Structure formats: C-alpha cells, structure tokens
Amino acid sequence: MLKAGRSVLCSALTLAFATTLALTATPAAAQQKKKLAFIVNASSDFWKLAEAGVKKAQAELPKYELQFRYPAQGTAALQNALMDDLVAAGTSAIMISSVDPKTSVDAFNRIAKQVPLFTTDSDAPTSNRIAYLGSSNTLAGEQAGEVAIKALPKGAKCMGFVGFLGADNAKERIAGFRKAVAGKGIELVDVRGDDVDFAKARSNVDDVLAAKPEINCMVGFYSYNPPKIYEALKAANKVGKITVIAFDEDPITLGAVKDGSFAGTVVQQPYEWGYQGMKLMAAYLEGDKSKIPADKLIIVPTKVIDKSNVDAFSANLKATLGK
C-alpha cells in the first residue's frame, strides 16, 4: 500500500509538473513570435486591400505576429505615439504611411534607432527609414494628367481635392499631374485640402461649385475625394457636366467610371504593400537585405482604369477581397 501510495503521489506530482510546464510554455512560445506592424495614415476603406495583403502574409509567416493598425485620428502626433507604444510592446519592425513626413523626421529617426522602420504610400525620404515600398506618386500623377489630356482635348480649368496637402504622396501626385498637362491647355487652378475630414471633403467641392463656375474639371487625389466629388455633383445636378479624374478604387468611383461619369481613375496596389511589406520586413529581420535596392525605393506600379477595363478590374478586386 505504501509503495502504491508513493506511486500515486509520484504520478500526481508528475501530472502537476507537466500541467505547470504546459501553462508556462504557451506564453513563452507566444513571446518567441516577432511582431511586425503596418500603420496607416487614417481610417479609410482604401486600406482594406492592404489589410487583406497583411492577412495573406500572416498565413505565410507563422513565426511572426502581424499587426495592422489605424491611428485614432490622422495626425502625425498620434501616428508617432502609436509607434512608441508598439516599440514599447516589443514590436520588431514597423511599416508606416506617414501623415506628415517633414514634421515627423525626428520621431521616425528615434524609432529607427530602436527597430527597422519602413515607409509605404507616403515616404519620409529624409528620415533613417530602411526603404520605401509603394507607388511612384509622381508617375501616378502623370497618369492622371494623361487621362485629363485624353478627356479634355480643348483644355480645361481643374480644381484638385486631397487629404493632406503637406504629405509627399499628395505633393508628388499634384506635381506629376501638372507636369503631364503642361502646355496642353489644362490648368490645375488650385488644390483644396481636407485633413481626411469627410464632411470637409464634401464641403470643399460644394464651395467650388458655388464660387467658381469656370471650373469644368475636378481631380480627386485621395481615395475618398472622388466619391465626395460625385456626391456634390449629383446634388447640384452636374454629374457628367464636369470632367472628373480620380485616384484609387472606391466602389462609387468605379461605378462612375463604368457609366462614363468619370473619365478614369489611377489605381495603386495597396494589397501588395501589405503583402510584400510584411515579407520584406521578415526577411530583413532574418538577415536578408538583398531585397533593399540601392536607392531604397521599391516601386509597385499603378494603372489607369477606364471604361474599357473597369469590369475586369472590379471582378479581380472582389476576388482579392473575398466578396
């Protein structure tokens, strides 16, 4: 009986030890996963594609924990605070679309001293980021200008609308557009910023319609600007009377391209930013720096969508998002 009692006791102790080991091993295993973060510049449906790309990358990177983060508001201060929080929580590398690169250089450099920092969508080239992965916004602006030239052979006076006037992606798109239309009789009279305030984005268009009847062309440089342009034109009964050149693939934008209300839209590949961005950071952390080019720019091409290819593009988009 004594021997049996000792056997039962030993079995109980062994079970207790195994249970304790199992309980302590799970958090330890979780801690071994390096965390990678993708930070966007504001809450917008545009980023759903990038989020889908990150999700695909997660399935291929089981040793990593991938995070997709929106700042509480689209401000540089909140973006920078979010990066600080992520680093403090043990994040190993960060990719970010900068709201305001010029005022964020010091903050970016502080983060870059602690973890590898990459940019996407809107670059911060004067910071110590490792590389930029995203569109050439200058070339995208030029493509938008080419759409305008084709749609407006007799020239036009255009008004532009954008979120952050100070962001590099906005400035480069605007500069590219102006370069393309130079000497073609098309003038980009001005660009109105809205700081990703959707109500202001709409009111900016309403104000132009009321105060500047000479404007016969509008350019929406951020993804939500073309839908707000469409809303305002519809309310003013001017859909089809003002030529619109768009950016990105909002459903309203694609619908307007399909029915001829918009001349065309320049689309990016945010899905690839999310997917390739996570794979790039994981490779970098594992010591593979071969994917970083000498100029530190990894350009994902943009494409013009017009009436001729909008159906095929829309079908592919739905398949990518699993709709």
mmCIF file of all heavy atoms in Angstrom, residues 225-266:
data_model
loop_
_atom_site.group_PDB
_atom_site.id
_atom_site.type_symbol
_atom_site.label_atom_id
_atom_site.label_comp_id
_atom_site.label_asym_id
_atom_site.label_seq_id
_atom_site.Cartn_x
_atom_site.Cartn_y
_atom_site.Cartn_z
ATOM 1 N N ASN A 225 -11.856 61.256 -52.053
ATOM 2 C CA ASN A 225 -12.199 62.525 -52.703
ATOM 3 C C ASN A 225 -13.116 62.345 -53.909
ATOM 4 O O ASN A 225 -14.118 63.078 -54.042
ATOM 5 C CB ASN A 225 -10.944 63.298 -53.106
ATOM 6 C CG ASN A 225 -10.175 63.859 -51.938
ATOM 7 O OD1 ASN A 225 -8.988 63.562 -51.760
ATOM 8 N ND2 ASN A 225 -10.831 64.672 -51.119
ATOM 9 N N PRO A 226 -12.845 61.395 -54.814
ATOM 10 C CA PRO A 226 -13.764 61.221 -55.955
ATOM 11 C C PRO A 226 -15.207 60.916 -55.546
ATOM 12 O O PRO A 226 -16.140 61.503 -56.118
ATOM 13 C CB PRO A 226 -13.121 60.070 -56.741
ATOM 14 C CG PRO A 226 -11.667 60.170 -56.409
ATOM 15 C CD PRO A 226 -11.624 60.561 -54.964
ATOM 16 N N PRO A 227 -15.454 60.024 -54.561
ATOM 17 C CA PRO A 227 -16.851 59.817 -54.146
ATOM 18 C C PRO A 227 -17.512 61.083 -53.607
ATOM 19 O O PRO A 227 -18.710 61.313 -53.836
ATOM 20 C CB PRO A 227 -16.748 58.744 -53.057
ATOM 21 C CG PRO A 227 -15.506 57.993 -53.405
ATOM 22 C CD PRO A 227 -14.563 59.031 -53.930
ATOM 23 N N LYS A 228 -16.746 61.905 -52.892
ATOM 24 C CA LYS A 228 -17.304 63.169 -52.382
ATOM 25 C C LYS A 228 -17.577 64.140 -53.533
ATOM 26 O O LYS A 228 -18.563 64.897 -53.501
ATOM 27 C CB LYS A 228 -16.363 63.791 -51.350
ATOM 28 C CG LYS A 228 -16.225 62.971 -50.074
ATOM 29 C CD LYS A 228 -17.571 62.721 -49.418
ATOM 30 C CE LYS A 228 -17.480 61.824 -48.219
ATOM 31 N NZ LYS A 228 -18.800 61.470 -47.656
ATOM 32 N N ILE A 229 -16.724 64.111 -54.547
ATOM 33 C CA ILE A 229 -16.976 64.915 -55.741
ATOM 34 C C ILE A 229 -18.278 64.454 -56.402
ATOM 35 O O ILE A 229 -19.120 65.272 -56.789
ATOM 36 C CB ILE A 229 -15.791 64.798 -56.735
ATOM 37 C CG1 ILE A 229 -14.541 65.488 -56.160
ATOM 38 C CG2 ILE A 229 -16.166 65.411 -58.090
ATOM 39 C CD1 ILE A 229 -13.282 65.239 -56.983
ATOM 40 N N TYR A 230 -18.432 63.142 -56.503
ATOM 41 C CA TYR A 230 -19.639 62.591 -57.131
ATOM 42 C C TYR A 230 -20.898 63.004 -56.361
ATOM 43 O O TYR A 230 -21.898 63.411 -56.964
ATOM 44 C CB TYR A 230 -19.545 61.069 -57.202
ATOM 45 C CG TYR A 230 -20.689 60.428 -57.942
ATOM 46 C CD1 TYR A 230 -20.666 60.303 -59.331
ATOM 47 C CD2 TYR A 230 -21.812 59.967 -57.264
ATOM 48 C CE1 TYR A 230 -21.726 59.726 -60.024
ATOM 49 C CE2 TYR A 230 -22.880 59.391 -57.946
ATOM 50 C CZ TYR A 230 -22.835 59.274 -59.321
ATOM 51 O OH TYR A 230 -23.884 58.720 -60.006
ATOM 52 N N GLU A 231 -20.839 62.902 -55.031
ATOM 53 C CA GLU A 231 -21.988 63.298 -54.201
ATOM 54 C C GLU A 231 -22.380 64.744 -54.466
ATOM 55 O O GLU A 231 -23.561 65.072 -54.622
ATOM 56 C CB GLU A 231 -21.646 63.139 -52.718
ATOM 57 C CG GLU A 231 -21.599 61.715 -52.216
ATOM 58 C CD GLU A 231 -21.204 61.660 -50.754
ATOM 59 O OE1 GLU A 231 -21.235 62.727 -50.076
ATOM 60 O OE2 GLU A 231 -20.858 60.569 -50.263
ATOM 61 N N ALA A 232 -21.375 65.625 -54.478
ATOM 62 C CA ALA A 232 -21.647 67.050 -54.667
ATOM 63 C C ALA A 232 -22.185 67.336 -56.066
ATOM 64 O O ALA A 232 -23.115 68.135 -56.235
ATOM 65 C CB ALA A 232 -20.365 67.855 -54.410
ATOM 66 N N LEU A 233 -21.610 66.685 -57.076
ATOM 67 C CA LEU A 233 -22.086 66.883 -58.447
ATOM 68 C C LEU A 233 -23.518 66.383 -58.607
ATOM 69 O O LEU A 233 -24.339 67.021 -59.278
ATOM 70 C CB LEU A 233 -21.168 66.157 -59.430
ATOM 71 C CG LEU A 233 -19.742 66.698 -59.589
ATOM 72 C CD1 LEU A 233 -18.964 65.855 -60.582
ATOM 73 C CD2 LEU A 233 -19.744 68.157 -60.014
ATOM 74 N N LYS A 234 -23.815 65.262 -57.977
ATOM 75 C CA LYS A 234 -25.175 64.719 -58.069
ATOM 76 C C LYS A 234 -26.177 65.666 -57.420
ATOM 77 O O LYS A 234 -27.259 65.917 -57.961
ATOM 78 C CB LYS A 234 -25.225 63.344 -57.394
ATOM 79 C CG LYS A 234 -26.552 62.618 -57.589
ATOM 80 C CD LYS A 234 -26.495 61.209 -57.024
ATOM 81 C CE LYS A 234 -27.811 60.481 -57.271
ATOM 82 N NZ LYS A 234 -27.783 59.110 -56.698
ATOM 83 N N ALA A 235 -25.810 66.214 -56.271
ATOM 84 C CA ALA A 235 -26.702 67.142 -55.566
ATOM 85 C C ALA A 235 -26.927 68.413 -56.376
ATOM 86 O O ALA A 235 -28.001 69.022 -56.311
ATOM 87 C CB ALA A 235 -26.122 67.484 -54.193
ATOM 88 N N ALA A 236 -25.904 68.804 -57.136
ATOM 89 C CA ALA A 236 -26.005 70.024 -57.944
ATOM 90 C C ALA A 236 -26.484 69.750 -59.366
ATOM 91 O O ALA A 236 -26.523 70.672 -60.197
ATOM 92 C CB ALA A 236 -24.634 70.713 -57.992
ATOM 93 N N ASN A 237 -26.845 68.498 -59.647
ATOM 94 C CA ASN A 237 -27.290 68.094 -60.983
ATOM 95 C C ASN A 237 -26.228 68.391 -62.041
ATOM 96 O O ASN A 237 -26.533 68.859 -63.145
ATOM 97 C CB ASN A 237 -28.608 68.792 -61.347
ATOM 98 C CG ASN A 237 -29.308 68.123 -62.531
ATOM 99 O OD1 ASN A 237 -29.173 66.917 -62.741
ATOM 100 N ND2 ASN A 237 -30.036 68.913 -63.306
ATOM 101 N N LYS A 238 -24.978 68.091 -61.706
ATOM 102 C CA LYS A 238 -23.880 68.375 -62.630
ATOM 103 C C LYS A 238 -23.040 67.137 -62.960
ATOM 104 O O LYS A 238 -21.931 67.254 -63.472
ATOM 105 C CB LYS A 238 -22.984 69.475 -62.059
ATOM 106 C CG LYS A 238 -23.663 70.838 -62.031
ATOM 107 C CD LYS A 238 -22.707 71.942 -61.624
ATOM 108 C CE LYS A 238 -23.400 73.303 -61.689
ATOM 109 N NZ LYS A 238 -22.492 74.419 -61.328
ATOM 110 N N VAL A 239 -23.562 65.949 -62.624
ATOM 111 C CA VAL A 239 -22.848 64.723 -62.988
ATOM 112 C C VAL A 239 -22.757 64.633 -64.515
ATOM 113 O O VAL A 239 -23.763 64.777 -65.220
ATOM 114 C CB VAL A 239 -23.563 63.471 -62.423
ATOM 115 C CG1 VAL A 239 -22.917 62.196 -62.970
ATOM 116 C CG2 VAL A 239 -23.519 63.460 -60.906
ATOM 117 N N GLY A 240 -21.549 64.437 -65.024
ATOM 118 C CA GLY A 240 -21.339 64.372 -66.467
ATOM 119 C C GLY A 240 -21.085 65.710 -67.110
ATOM 120 O O GLY A 240 -20.648 65.769 -68.263
ATOM 121 N N LYS A 241 -21.333 66.789 -66.376
ATOM 122 C CA LYS A 241 -21.114 68.133 -66.923
ATOM 123 C C LYS A 241 -19.731 68.664 -66.560
ATOM 124 O O LYS A 241 -19.251 69.622 -67.171
ATOM 125 C CB LYS A 241 -22.190 69.088 -66.415
ATOM 126 C CG LYS A 241 -23.603 68.693 -66.860
ATOM 127 C CD LYS A 241 -24.655 69.611 -66.261
ATOM 128 C CE LYS A 241 -26.056 69.158 -66.653
ATOM 129 N NZ LYS A 241 -27.116 69.997 -66.031
ATOM 130 N N ILE A 242 -19.128 68.068 -65.542
ATOM 131 C CA ILE A 242 -17.775 68.419 -65.135
ATOM 132 C C ILE A 242 -16.933 67.150 -65.227
ATOM 133 O O ILE A 242 -17.307 66.105 -64.690
ATOM 134 C CB ILE A 242 -17.746 68.985 -63.696
ATOM 135 C CG1 ILE A 242 -18.434 70.361 -63.676
ATOM 136 C CG2 ILE A 242 -16.317 69.080 -63.170
ATOM 137 C CD1 ILE A 242 -18.502 70.996 -62.306
ATOM 138 N N THR A 243 -15.823 67.230 -65.935
ATOM 139 C CA THR A 243 -14.955 66.065 -66.102
ATOM 140 C C THR A 243 -14.229 65.765 -64.790
ATOM 141 O O THR A 243 -13.664 66.673 -64.156
ATOM 142 C CB THR A 243 -13.929 66.318 -67.218
ATOM 143 O OG1 THR A 243 -14.630 66.548 -68.443
ATOM 144 C CG2 THR A 243 -12.983 65.139 -67.387
ATOM 145 N N VAL A 244 -14.250 64.507 -64.400
ATOM 146 C CA VAL A 244 -13.612 64.108 -63.145
ATOM 147 C C VAL A 244 -12.535 63.069 -63.411
ATOM 148 O O VAL A 244 -12.762 62.066 -64.099
ATOM 149 C CB VAL A 244 -14.643 63.534 -62.150
ATOM 150 C CG1 VAL A 244 -13.941 63.117 -60.845
ATOM 151 C CG2 VAL A 244 -15.738 64.564 -61.866
ATOM 152 N N ILE A 245 -11.360 63.313 -62.845
ATOM 153 C CA ILE A 245 -10.247 62.357 -62.882
ATOM 154 C C ILE A 245 -10.018 61.906 -61.443
ATOM 155 O O ILE A 245 -9.917 62.747 -60.535
ATOM 156 C CB ILE A 245 -8.964 62.977 -63.466
ATOM 157 C CG1 ILE A 245 -9.185 63.360 -64.941
ATOM 158 C CG2 ILE A 245 -7.793 62.017 -63.350
ATOM 159 C CD1 ILE A 245 -9.659 64.758 -65.170
ATOM 160 N N ALA A 246 -9.959 60.610 -61.243
ATOM 161 C CA ALA A 246 -9.947 60.071 -59.885
ATOM 162 C C ALA A 246 -8.664 59.301 -59.571
ATOM 163 O O ALA A 246 -7.850 59.011 -60.449
ATOM 164 C CB ALA A 246 -11.159 59.152 -59.688
ATOM 165 N N PHE A 247 -8.531 58.974 -58.296
ATOM 166 C CA PHE A 247 -7.498 58.063 -57.823
ATOM 167 C C PHE A 247 -8.167 56.956 -57.011
ATOM 168 O O PHE A 247 -9.141 57.191 -56.300
ATOM 169 C CB PHE A 247 -6.482 58.794 -56.929
ATOM 170 C CG PHE A 247 -5.361 59.458 -57.680
ATOM 171 C CD1 PHE A 247 -5.569 60.675 -58.303
ATOM 172 C CD2 PHE A 247 -4.114 58.863 -57.776
ATOM 173 C CE1 PHE A 247 -4.550 61.293 -59.008
ATOM 174 C CE2 PHE A 247 -3.084 59.472 -58.483
ATOM 175 C CZ PHE A 247 -3.292 60.692 -59.091
ATOM 176 N N ASP A 248 -7.624 55.771 -57.143
ATOM 177 C CA ASP A 248 -7.999 54.605 -56.331
ATOM 178 C C ASP A 248 -9.337 53.998 -56.733
ATOM 179 O O ASP A 248 -9.950 54.417 -57.716
ATOM 180 C CB ASP A 248 -7.901 54.934 -54.848
ATOM 181 C CG ASP A 248 -6.482 55.373 -54.473
ATOM 182 O OD1 ASP A 248 -5.530 54.717 -54.940
ATOM 183 O OD2 ASP A 248 -6.318 56.366 -53.760
ATOM 184 N N GLU A 249 -9.764 52.977 -55.930
ATOM 185 C CA GLU A 249 -10.805 52.077 -56.413
ATOM 186 C C GLU A 249 -12.027 52.005 -55.511
ATOM 187 O O GLU A 249 -12.609 50.947 -55.315
ATOM 188 C CB GLU A 249 -10.226 50.671 -56.611
ATOM 189 C CG GLU A 249 -9.676 50.001 -55.362
ATOM 190 C CD GLU A 249 -8.374 50.611 -54.896
ATOM 191 O OE1 GLU A 249 -7.423 50.693 -55.671
ATOM 192 O OE2 GLU A 249 -8.326 51.020 -53.726
ATOM 193 N N ASP A 250 -12.451 53.136 -54.975
ATOM 194 C CA ASP A 250 -13.690 53.163 -54.218
ATOM 195 C C ASP A 250 -14.839 52.684 -55.129
ATOM 196 O O ASP A 250 -14.865 52.999 -56.322
ATOM 197 C CB ASP A 250 -13.969 54.577 -53.726
ATOM 198 C CG ASP A 250 -15.178 54.653 -52.805
ATOM 199 O OD1 ASP A 250 -16.316 54.706 -53.332
ATOM 200 O OD2 ASP A 250 -14.993 54.638 -51.583
ATOM 201 N N PRO A 251 -15.776 51.915 -54.578
ATOM 202 C CA PRO A 251 -16.881 51.409 -55.408
ATOM 203 C C PRO A 251 -17.648 52.511 -56.142
ATOM 204 O O PRO A 251 -18.074 52.320 -57.296
ATOM 205 C CB PRO A 251 -17.777 50.695 -54.397
ATOM 206 C CG PRO A 251 -16.846 50.260 -53.311
ATOM 207 C CD PRO A 251 -15.822 51.351 -53.210
ATOM 208 N N ILE A 252 -17.844 53.660 -55.499
ATOM 209 C CA ILE A 252 -18.545 54.766 -56.164
ATOM 210 C C ILE A 252 -17.722 55.253 -57.347
ATOM 211 O O ILE A 252 -18.256 55.536 -58.435
ATOM 212 C CB ILE A 252 -18.819 55.918 -55.170
ATOM 213 C CG1 ILE A 252 -19.845 55.471 -54.124
ATOM 214 C CG2 ILE A 252 -19.306 57.166 -55.904
ATOM 215 C CD1 ILE A 252 -20.071 56.481 -53.013
ATOM 216 N N THR A 253 -16.405 55.338 -57.152
ATOM 217 C CA THR A 253 -15.513 55.760 -58.234
ATOM 218 C C THR A 253 -15.592 54.797 -59.414
ATOM 219 O O THR A 253 -15.733 55.218 -60.570
ATOM 220 C CB THR A 253 -14.063 55.845 -57.721
ATOM 221 O OG1 THR A 253 -13.976 56.839 -56.702
ATOM 222 C CG2 THR A 253 -13.095 56.190 -58.840
ATOM 223 N N LEU A 254 -15.500 53.504 -59.122
ATOM 224 C CA LEU A 254 -15.541 52.514 -60.205
ATOM 225 C C LEU A 254 -16.889 52.534 -60.922
ATOM 226 O O LEU A 254 -16.948 52.379 -62.150
ATOM 227 C CB LEU A 254 -15.249 51.119 -59.644
ATOM 228 C CG LEU A 254 -13.843 50.912 -59.084
ATOM 229 C CD1 LEU A 254 -13.699 49.503 -58.516
ATOM 230 C CD2 LEU A 254 -12.771 51.171 -60.151
ATOM 231 N N GLY A 255 -17.960 52.733 -60.167
ATOM 232 C CA GLY A 255 -19.279 52.832 -60.782
ATOM 233 C C GLY A 255 -19.377 54.033 -61.704
ATOM 234 O O GLY A 255 -19.968 53.956 -62.795
ATOM 235 N N ALA A 256 -18.784 55.150 -61.274
ATOM 236 C CA ALA A 256 -18.819 56.367 -62.095
ATOM 237 C C ALA A 256 -17.956 56.217 -63.341
ATOM 238 O O ALA A 256 -18.289 56.754 -64.407
ATOM 239 C CB ALA A 256 -18.355 57.559 -61.260
ATOM 240 N N VAL A 257 -16.852 55.497 -63.235
ATOM 241 C CA VAL A 257 -16.021 55.222 -64.414
ATOM 242 C C VAL A 257 -16.802 54.337 -65.389
ATOM 243 O O VAL A 257 -16.806 54.574 -66.604
ATOM 244 C CB VAL A 257 -14.694 54.544 -64.009
ATOM 245 C CG1 VAL A 257 -13.940 54.039 -65.249
ATOM 246 C CG2 VAL A 257 -13.815 55.513 -63.213
ATOM 247 N N LYS A 258 -17.486 53.339 -64.855
ATOM 248 C CA LYS A 258 -18.230 52.402 -65.702
ATOM 249 C C LYS A 258 -19.343 53.093 -66.481
ATOM 250 O O LYS A 258 -19.549 52.807 -67.677
ATOM 251 C CB LYS A 258 -18.809 51.279 -64.843
ATOM 252 C CG LYS A 258 -19.557 50.224 -65.649
ATOM 253 C CD LYS A 258 -19.975 49.045 -64.788
ATOM 254 C CE LYS A 258 -20.695 48.000 -65.616
ATOM 255 N NZ LYS A 258 -21.014 46.778 -64.839
ATOM 256 N N ASP A 259 -20.066 54.020 -65.818
ATOM 257 C CA ASP A 259 -21.183 54.671 -66.525
ATOM 258 C C ASP A 259 -20.767 55.932 -67.276
ATOM 259 O O ASP A 259 -21.605 56.616 -67.861
ATOM 260 C CB ASP A 259 -22.347 54.953 -65.567
ATOM 261 C CG ASP A 259 -22.050 56.043 -64.532
ATOM 262 O OD1 ASP A 259 -21.126 56.852 -64.747
ATOM 263 O OD2 ASP A 259 -22.750 56.085 -63.504
ATOM 264 N N GLY A 260 -19.467 56.221 -67.258
ATOM 265 C CA GLY A 260 -18.972 57.354 -68.024
ATOM 266 C C GLY A 260 -19.019 58.691 -67.310
ATOM 267 O O GLY A 260 -18.671 59.725 -67.887
ATOM 268 N N SER A 261 -19.444 58.709 -66.033
ATOM 269 C CA SER A 261 -19.499 59.965 -65.274
ATOM 270 C C SER A 261 -18.104 60.481 -64.937
ATOM 271 O O SER A 261 -17.901 61.681 -64.800
ATOM 272 C CB SER A 261 -20.285 59.762 -63.976
ATOM 273 O OG SER A 261 -21.594 59.326 -64.241
ATOM 274 N N PHE A 262 -17.130 59.562 -64.767
ATOM 275 C CA PHE A 262 -15.735 59.917 -64.521
ATOM 276 C C PHE A 262 -14.916 59.493 -65.734
ATOM 277 O O PHE A 262 -15.176 58.438 -66.336
ATOM 278 C CB PHE A 262 -15.180 59.201 -63.290
ATOM 279 C CG PHE A 262 -15.651 59.734 -61.960
ATOM 280 C CD1 PHE A 262 -16.619 60.729 -61.862
ATOM 281 C CD2 PHE A 262 -15.104 59.230 -60.781
ATOM 282 C CE1 PHE A 262 -17.050 61.208 -60.629
ATOM 283 C CE2 PHE A 262 -15.512 59.703 -59.538
ATOM 284 C CZ PHE A 262 -16.489 60.691 -59.462
ATOM 285 N N ALA A 263 -13.904 60.286 -66.063
ATOM 286 C CA ALA A 263 -13.059 59.967 -67.218
ATOM 287 C C ALA A 263 -12.197 58.734 -66.962
ATOM 288 O O ALA A 263 -11.901 57.970 -67.890
ATOM 289 C CB ALA A 263 -12.173 61.166 -67.559
ATOM 290 N N GLY A 264 -11.780 58.543 -65.730
ATOM 291 C CA GLY A 264 -10.931 57.405 -65.391
ATOM 292 C C GLY A 264 -10.373 57.558 -63.997
ATOM 293 O O GLY A 264 -10.546 58.604 -63.347
ATOM 294 N N THR A 265 -9.711 56.509 -63.516
ATOM 295 C CA THR A 265 -9.094 56.566 -62.191
ATOM 296 C C THR A 265 -7.745 55.870 -62.235
ATOM 297 O O THR A 265 -7.554 54.893 -62.976
ATOM 298 C CB THR A 265 -10.003 55.923 -61.126
ATOM 299 O OG1 THR A 265 -9.435 56.118 -59.829
ATOM 300 C CG2 THR A 265 -10.202 54.432 -61.353
ATOM 301 N N VAL A 266 -6.808 56.372 -61.459
ATOM 302 C CA VAL A 266 -5.474 55.767 -61.354
ATOM 303 C C VAL A 266 -5.452 54.928 -60.083
ATOM 304 O O VAL A 266 -5.632 55.462 -58.982
ATOM 305 C CB VAL A 266 -4.372 56.849 -61.304
ATOM 306 C CG1 VAL A 266 -2.997 56.188 -61.163
ATOM 307 C CG2 VAL A 266 -4.417 57.715 -62.559
#
